[in-house]
Amino acid sequence: MTVRRTLTAVAAATVLALLPHTAQAAESYPAPRPITGQQIIHDPTVIRLKSGGYAAYSTGGVIGARLSKDGKHWDDAGNAFAEPPTWWYEYNDTGDPWAPDLSYRDGRYWLYYAVSSWGTNHSAIGVATSATGLPGTWTDHGKVFSSQTTDHWNAIDPAIVKADGKLWMSFGSYWTGIRMVELDPATGKAVPGATVHHLATRPDAPYAVEGPAIVKHGRHYYLFASYDACCSGVNSTYKIRVGRSASVTGPYVDSTGKPMLEGGGDLLLEGHGRFIGTGGQSVFRDRGEDWLAYHYYDAADDGTPKLGLNRLSWTADGRPSVR
């Protein structure tokens, strides 16, 4: 997911003026939490560290790192790794990783990430662990799961969730959409011969849904996914949709009952005002509250990708909304 700045500030302002939905959307969605410091990010995953403060990892660099003491001021903290593990070069010439996922279990931080090339599903998901979750402390453990050009899925955009005593990884981008496999908790890697479950897709090619994140709230599991196109500055059409299921493996449906396997999904957040192409999302827990982390393209700053943070609230019938 290479980040590209495509328009000047003047052109960005022109695009905003031409967007028919902007005024309505600006009234419908809250602005992200104001932050300072290093705001540039793409495909963020955020966690509150056991040692205090916050870490965010992202696409860019060798998994770009940001650190914050309060969740409001963020500092550039270099990269997760000093250099790419050699096996990454099997999937692209630059050792460029994408879309990490950060979690904590069994006394360690776990960092999942993808390596691939634009436009192919010759892809792999890898995993690293750390005692502290801080950049420069990660030990890579190699491939978790991979896909080939003969497969009907794309092994990128990993996201981890525990359910019913098992560990699961959702993933997927275009091809046939969002998939899921069971992981071995001891290794963090796919169970040999694991069933590849199908969670969400679109009715028509190119099946533009990717970047899953699954969380449990109440008795349901919620699948958040990015729909449409990223990575084109203020021309991006990314938006976040969500469905829910009583089972982690689905079926996921929206509030009308339409399955996400048939293109369903309630619209949670889309471009509004200066905040264009909202997506690449993850969800993290902080002091009893759920937060949505995502990137947007700032139409007031040349379409630069920046960190968006909004709290999630839940309706009485268990539907999420941003605030």
Side-chain angles (χ1 to χ4, degrees):
M1 296 185 181
T2 304
V3 180
R4 294 170 295 200
R5 302 182 189 179
T6 59
L7 296 177
T8 64
V10 172
T14 301
V15 169
L16 274 178
L18 293 175
L19 288 174
H21 69 278
T22 298
Q24 180 179 355
E27 296 173 359
S28 302
Y29 300 109
R33 175 190 218 174
I35 63 172
T36 58
Q38 177 55 277
Q39 301 178 41
I40 299 174
I41 207 164
H42 212 266
D43 305 321
T45 180
V46 180
I47 199 169
R48 182 174 175 83
L49 297 169
K50 299 294 182 180
S51 59
Y54 302 82
Y57 288 93
S58 65
T59 297
V62 194
I63 307 181
R66 311 282 185 267
L67 295 176
S68 174
K69 294 180 179 179
D70 59 6
K72 299 177 183 178
H73 179 85
W74 294 84
D75 293 313
D76 191 329
N79 298 294
F81 299 96
E83 58 184 30
T86 55
W87 71 267
W88 291 6
Y89 292 98
E90 177 185 344
Y91 294 92
N92 62 54
D93 294 335
T94 57
D96 180 26
W98 299 343
D101 176 83
L102 182 60
S103 58
Y104 182 86
R105 63 180 176 84
D106 299 334
R108 290 189 289 176
Y109 293 90
W110 298 73
L111 185 66
Y112 288 78
Y113 57 83
V115 282
S116 186
S117 297
W118 193 270
T120 179
N121 66 333
H122 175 61
S123 310
I125 292 166
V127 66
T129 58
S130 165
T132 65
L134 296 174
T137 68
W138 294 96
T139 299
D140 189 63
H141 301 291
K143 297 179 190 179
V144 171
F145 188 76
S146 62
S147 59
Q148 306 299 327
T149 55
T150 53
D151 290 321
H152 298 296
W153 54 79
N154 191 9
I156 70 169
D157 294 2
I160 307 305
V161 62
K162 291 192 289 185
D164 302 322
K166 295 182 178 181
L167 189 67
W168 301 89
M169 180 179 72
S170 58
F171 65 91
S173 173
Y174 288 69
W175 274 261
T176 55
I178 307 303
R179 299 281 183 154
M180 171 176 273
V181 293
E182 184 182 350
L183 303 182
D184 179 345
T187 64
K189 298 184 179 183
V191 172
T195 299
V196 181
H197 300 275
H198 202 184
L199 306 187
T201 191
R202 305 284 290 275
D204 303 307
Y207 316 109
V209 53
E210 60 187 1
I214 295 178
V215 298
K216 188 175 185 183
H217 179 80
R219 62 186 181 89
H220 287 102
Y221 295 92
Y222 292 79
L223 170 59
F224 299 77
S226 295
Y227 284 56
D228 299 323
C230 82
C231 311
S232 296
V234 295
N235 289 328
S236 302
T237 56
Y238 243 14
K239 56 183 66 69
I240 302 169
R241 293 187 180 272
V242 61
R244 75 181 185 186
S245 172
S247 169
V248 73
T249 56
Y252 288 86
V253 301
D254 63 23
S255 59
T256 71
K258 186 174 183 178
M260 293 184 79
L261 279 171
E262 298 176 10
D266 293 315
L267 183 61
L268 180 72
L269 184 65
E270 65 179 341
H272 58 105
R274 64 188 282 188
F275 311 107
I276 305 302
T278 54
Q281 76 292 322
S282 60
V283 178
F284 67 101
R285 189 83 171 160
D286 183 20
R287 298 173 181 175
E289 294 186 310
D290 293 315
W291 284 80
L292 182 73
Y294 57 94
H295 68 252
Y296 66 88
Y297 300 94
D298 190 346
D301 187 18
D302 291 344
T304 300
K306 295 183 178 180
L307 176 62
L309 296 171
N310 286 86
R311 276 185 288 181
L312 286 176
S313 60
W314 300 87
T315 64
D317 64 348
R319 298 290 176 179
S321 63
V322 293
R323 60 188 177 104

